[in-house]
Amino acid sequence: HTSTMLTNKVLFVVLIALSNEVLQSRAFLLAPVIPTSLRALQNRRSPSLELRMFEPAKQAALRQATEKDPVAQIPSTLGKDLLAPTALSTLPLFEMDFESAAEIPAFVDPASSPTTMLLNLQTEAESLAKNRLLGHQLKKHTLERSSMGDAISSLLASKLANSELPENDLFDLFSTTFIKNPQIVSDLVQDLLWMKEVDPATSSFLHPFLNFKGFHAVQVQRVSHALWRSADAADKMLALLLQSRSSELFGVDAHPGAVLKHGVMLDHATGIVIGETARIGHHCYILHGVTLGATGKSGDFDRHPKIGNRVKIGAGAMVLGNIQVDDDAVVGASAVVTVPIGSGETVVGINRVLGSKEKAGAAAEGQDLDIWMFNI
């Protein structure tokens, strides 16, 4: 019965919680595939990306955990056969961050796979490729690419290349990093889906992919972050070089030590600064001129803000110091924030948190709470 259902359905993302702590922050994903049988499922490898297998010790821990707890979050249509040791040892797995099981539906949608996103880009590009000015870049970065990783590698390499940074070498650097860190490609797909959802100016996937410098800066930062975590001194220097070059080109100075989750939009992007120990949660919307910086007073290494999930930060805002801005908070345009902000709160001016009466008053006056226009 399970095999029959697997034959007719797309294999969805599976959340496996090794502990309560893992359930809060990290999950293991099975690569999305369309199997014709369980054997085909076990032997299949993604055509768009060579996914990294977990080391045997982690696979053993996974199997041991699933034997103790079948994990309630696993869709029933997948069946318990998927958790058998044989399946776990042969399916390509990679890591991905989740806030909770509630996030799974966004990744279950086949539209969120890198292969599907590349097909979307190619479909949109085909109708425009005959244009003399557009044709070359459309063919180079989308139509002639066989994977999403190669497509973004080609685009970023062409933008960052100069006389001292050969394009072919940059392409190899990006492509290799994406293969070693496949979650970056999954993250960028979520970035594009998020932009399409929240930005009225985004009417296609191709437009932000080719033209949004905030999108480009985020992908370069994630690559530099992967290099920054390396123990090799040359990789760390490469990470800093990418930071510098990205800042020159895109106007976004994001340290490679910062952590950016999936579904991040830097709208307009010019003048954004993201410090070394800053963290940005998933599905955040950040406008131009934002600084996630330090106060300059603390001698501690961990000195930058921690931005939660689904946070909106208005243009010109400064969030300073090792403080938490919790989930669903709104930081008003030009605000200066040096104190922790709670979940769902709105802060404007200098550390002024709006109360429920002030929010209601703003709404009554016709002010849109999502564009941060408050009487301060």
Side-chain angles (χ1 to χ4, degrees), residues 208-225:
F209 176 79
L210 291 176
N211 302 322
F212 280 18
K213 64 180 183 177
F215 171 75
H216 302 149
V218 168
Q219 311 321 316
V220 173
Q221 194 282 334
R222 290 190 181 126
V223 170
S224 68
H225 179 69

Side-chain angles (χ1 to χ4, degrees), residues 4 28 49 77 95 128 132 177 218 246 259 292 307 358 362:
T4 302
F28 300 94
L49 201 60
T77 54
E95 289 181 283
L128 304 171
R132 287 183 59 188
T177 303
V218 168
S246 179
V259 176
L292 304 181
I307 307 300
E358 290 174 298

